[in-house]
Amino acid sequence: MTSHPPLQDTARAGPYRLPPDREAGLLASAASLGLQHLIYRPEGNQDIRTWLAGLGQTLGFPEHFGANFDALYDCLTDTEILPQPGLLLILGGLTSLGDAVDILIAIFQAASDEWRDHERPLWVLFDAPNLDLDPLPKA
């Protein structure tokens, strides 16, 4: 059986937990596949609105981005805002967000589904070892 990098299997794109010690390899894989990658790991404890505002800046969302869940989904699925043919996001700084993380996972899953409908992969890796989310498979 031939092994292939997990990011090649675009049908499985979506939110996952970032496996320990695999970030460098995944970033190299993303680059070889022509996927843009962005990393957002804010320092310190942040409330969800501040976290979303920082994410919006990292992703280059418009100034009018409302830093709320509806606006996040709208911007993630707007091809004028995010025109990339594929994207790998690595997200951290989640410890102070509480139950909002579950909502973020759902939003990123829905956005990944939308991207997939347009034959574009959106991979979202949460850098949170204790998060109740499947880790990205090895292949």
Side-chain angles (χ1 to χ4, degrees):
M1 180 194 293
T2 304
S3 177
H4 61 278
L7 300 180
Q8 240 177 353
D9 188 359
T10 59
R12 296 174 75 181
Y16 294 93
R17 188 167 25 93
L18 177 65
D21 303 324
R22 291 196 40 215
E23 184 173 334
L26 290 167
L27 291 175
S29 178
S32 72
L33 293 169
L35 299 176
Q36 181 180 357
H37 70 273
L38 296 168
I39 300 170
Y40 177 61
R41 287 189 180 107
E43 299 280 328
N45 292 331
Q46 296 187 346
D47 62 24
I48 188 61
R49 189 166 180 79
T50 304
W51 192 92
L52 286 170
L55 177 63
Q57 288 179 338
T58 299
L59 291 171
F61 289 172
E63 286 185 30
H64 65 270
F65 170 61
N68 61 60
F69 295 128
D70 289 335
L72 174 63
Y73 177 80
D74 291 345
C75 287
L76 285 172
T77 57
D78 186 327
T79 56
E80 290 184 21
I81 295 172
L82 295 176
Q84 300 87 334
L87 181 60
L88 168 67
L89 297 177
I90 296 177
L91 305 176
L94 306 167
T95 55
S96 63
L97 301 184
D99 293 338
V101 174
D102 293 333
I103 299 169
L104 287 172
I105 292 169
I107 290 168
F108 281 112
Q109 181 63 63
S112 293
D113 293 343
E114 179 75 19
W115 278 55
R116 192 177 309 104
D117 288 347
H118 297 281
E119 299 180 6
R120 303 178 334 146
L122 173 60
W123 297 93
V124 184
L125 304 181
F126 288 85
D127 187 7
N130 298 321
L131 186 61
D132 186 20
L133 183 65
D134 289 338
L136 182 70
K138 289 192 180 204

